[in-house]
Amino acid sequence: MKHLLKLGDLTKEEMLETLGLADQLKFERKNNIPHPRLAGKTLGMIFQKSSTRTRVSFEVGMYQLGGNALFLSSRDLQIGRGEPVQDTARVLSRYLDGIMIRTYKQSEVEDLAKYGSIPVINGLTDYAHPCQVLADLQTIREYKGSLLGKKLCFIGDGNNMANSLIVGCIKTGMSVSIGCPAAYKPDADIIKWAHENGDLTITEDIYEAAQGADAVYTDVWASMGMEEEAEKRKRDFAGYCVDSKLMASAKPDAIVLHCLPAHRGEEITEEVFEQHANEIFDEAENRLHAQKAVLVQLLEDR
Ligand code: CP
Ligand code: NVA
């Protein structure tokens, strides 16, 4: 693994290796066992969109690994004034050991990797959120013991989360069902790939989607950058809500996951959110452990 641009680039074995290392680093952290595996290394973190979890977990993760992290807002970088990503990539490669970027277009992340000479990590694009899904898989495995044969149901917008969940879950032997309006399906190429490589169902019937699910996942109806569509989306997604009636279709011991931030009363009810808060905040915590695993794998031996 040279970069983490999208989960489609990883083999099943690489993904499971990352999850295994994430578990080990979590154990070391919980038991106060120091693990300064990136001493002297610096990660640059470029943010073109807001973030709470990604920013804090990457920054703290680098400190815990003995390295440093630089928060680079696109408002302050020359990239925000039009300096091409190709040049930014080549300059930052001279100073840093790795770059994490959160931006809009997947092509910007790919270009950063192409023109730079250091590992690049996708911290969310409109297309994918691979770091989140590694943490999600770690969480599902913690609660369910294994991934193979388990079913994940995603309710809502066929967005970056849905795209990455489909790939991550199918690659690790899970089945996936997506309950979404017909006009809001996940990426067409990902759907095609999933049908060829595993068990994916896409339906407008959320109860059918949730049938027998081990994990029920949801995300906001309007992602970052779609603020202008928020009102239209509220109408289009009415009913695509994880509530107690929907949970009755899932397995009785199903967990609920949400990448956060959550909009209570839209994609999830307050009741279901609070009933499953332990799972949701374990999931948020696992961002730290899963990303530290990615950082070690990409930066340790460079
Ligand atoms: N889930 C997630 O990526 O959260 P942030 O937007 O706060 O980083
Ligand atoms: N789909 C959401 C995920 C946030 C972590 C967004 O892109 O805003």
Side-chain angles (χ1 to χ4, degrees):
M1 183 158 90
K2 276 171 65 185
H3 304 283
L4 178 58
L5 308 181
K6 58 184 191 300
L7 291 180
D9 298 337
L10 270 58
T11 63
K12 175 185 181 178
E13 289 68 34
E14 282 175 321
M15 221 179 283
L16 292 176
E17 205 179 304
T18 306
L19 296 178
L21 182 54
D23 289 345
Q24 182 194 322
L25 290 167
K26 184 170 184 174
F27 175 85
E28 289 176 6
R29 170 80 191 145
K30 298 279 178 198
N31 291 282
N32 292 318
I33 302 167
H35 40 274
R37 295 174 65 162
L38 299 182
K41 309 246 167 170
T42 306
L43 178 77
M45 309 187 299
I46 303 175
F47 282 94
Q48 311 233 35
K49 292 175 175 172
S50 306
S51 171
T52 296
R53 282 143 288 270
T54 305
R55 190 231 162 129
V56 177
S57 56
F58 265 107
E59 192 161 331
V60 169
M62 276 306 288
Y63 293 144
Q64 291 176 2
L65 290 164
N68 293 295
L70 288 182
F71 174 70
L72 303 168
S73 162
S74 61
R75 264 181 302 186
D76 305 325
L77 291 176
Q78 294 288 8
I79 212 169
R81 294 179 57 246
E83 183 168 18
V85 74
Q86 297 94 309
D87 296 356
T88 307
R90 284 177 284 190
V91 171
L92 294 181
S93 295
R94 305 288 177 117
Y95 308 136
L96 300 169
D97 299 288
I99 303 176
M100 195 278 331
I101 177 165
R102 165 168 287 196
T103 188
Y104 295 88
K105 290 190 196 148
Q106 180 71 15
S107 61
E108 268 181 63
V109 179
E110 310 268 347
D111 279 349
L112 206 52
K114 182 171 162 197
Y115 290 95
S117 53
I118 54 175
V120 173
I121 300 170
N122 179 350
L124 181 146
T125 60
D126 293 343
Y127 174 74
H129 198 0
C131 294
Q132 178 69 53
V133 170
L134 290 171
D136 299 338
L137 293 172
Q138 184 182 14
T139 311
I140 296 168
R141 204 162 71 161
E142 283 172 351
Y143 276 90
K144 297 291 159 199
S146 66
L147 298 173
L148 192 65
K150 299 289 185 294
K151 173 176 173 176
L152 178 124
C153 154
F154 178 93
I155 301 294
D157 184 20
N159 60 13
N160 43 11
M161 281 312 317
N163 287 340
S164 291
L165 282 165
I166 292 172
V167 178
C169 291
I170 296 280
K171 282 210 180 204
T172 52
M174 295 179 68
S175 63
V176 180
S177 64
I178 308 281
C180 66
Y184 294 94
K185 286 187 186 161
D187 179 81
D189 289 336
I190 289 182
I191 294 178
K192 184 169 176 285
W193 172 88
H195 283 315
E196 288 164 3
N197 289 278
D199 180 6
L200 171 71
T201 307
I202 309 235
T203 171
E204 288 177 66
D205 181 343
I206 59 171
Y207 301 102
E208 182 196 337
Q211 199 64 49
D214 297 283
V216 176
Y217 203 115
T218 190
D219 183 17
V220 291
W221 293 337
S223 286
M224 288 181 278
M226 296 174 181
E227 288 76 12
E228 281 168 20
E229 292 177 31
E231 286 309 311
K232 175 180 173 2
R233 283 171 171 263
K234 271 187 196 166
R235 294 191 295 276
D236 293 350
F237 284 98
Y240 285 84
C241 176
V242 175
D243 57 13
S244 48
K245 185 172 169 213
L246 179 91
M247 289 309 296
S249 293
K251 286 206 179 129
D253 64 349
I255 60 169
V256 172
L257 298 176
H258 193 308
C259 55
L260 303 176
H263 289 182
R264 291 165 171 81
E266 293 186 13
E267 77 276 3
I268 190 164
T269 59
E270 170 87 24
E271 184 193 11
V272 171
F273 187 96
E274 291 303 336
Q275 272 168 0
H276 293 273
N278 282 345
E279 296 137 32
I280 293 168
F281 292 105
D282 280 346
E283 175 191 14
E285 178 188 327
N286 283 340
R287 292 294 303 278
L288 173 69
H289 309 298
Q291 286 159 199
K292 282 168 72 181
V294 171
L295 289 166
V296 167
Q297 286 176 319
L298 293 179
L299 305 189
E300 187 173 44
D301 295 326
R302 294 191 83 257

